[in-house]
Amino acid sequence: ISLTSTGATTLGGTVSATSVTQNSTSGTTILNGATITTGGVQSYGNYVKLGANTSLNSSSGSRVISRLMGMPTTLHFGQG
């Protein structure tokens, strides 16, 4: 999945993909209770805001968050 929004992009629920890349360096990606599972890399180039507890799982790729906005929630990194 290739995201290019310069506004707000919200991911919630279950997302399964080969990879997830937010190519924009402006705007915000809101992870709202999402479980995002990929076989490869997850890269978020803009601000990432946690709206609820979120899991980022990858079986063979890295997870890169350029700018994380602090929220009172849990971010879990796991093997997918």
Side-chain angles (χ1 to χ4, degrees):
I1 299 172
S2 180
L3 306 169
T4 58
S5 173
T6 57
T9 301
T10 302
L11 300 175
T14 301
V15 177
S16 296
T18 302
S19 64
V20 175
T21 303
Q22 172 50 277
N23 292 306
S24 178
T25 57
S26 62
T28 304
T29 299
I30 302 164
L31 303 178
N32 200 14
T35 297
I36 301 172
T37 302
T38 60
V41 72
Q42 295 181 36
S43 178
Y44 305 90
N46 61 0
Y47 285 99
V48 172
K49 178 179 178 181
L50 301 178
N53 294 344
T54 297
S55 294
L56 302 179
N57 304 311
S58 178
S59 60
S60 65
S62 62
R63 277 85 24 138
V64 178
I65 298 176
S66 297
R67 295 171 274 187
L68 181 63
M69 299 172 72
M71 300 304 296
T73 58
T74 300
L75 177 60
H76 175 263
F77 295 94
Q79 290 291 104

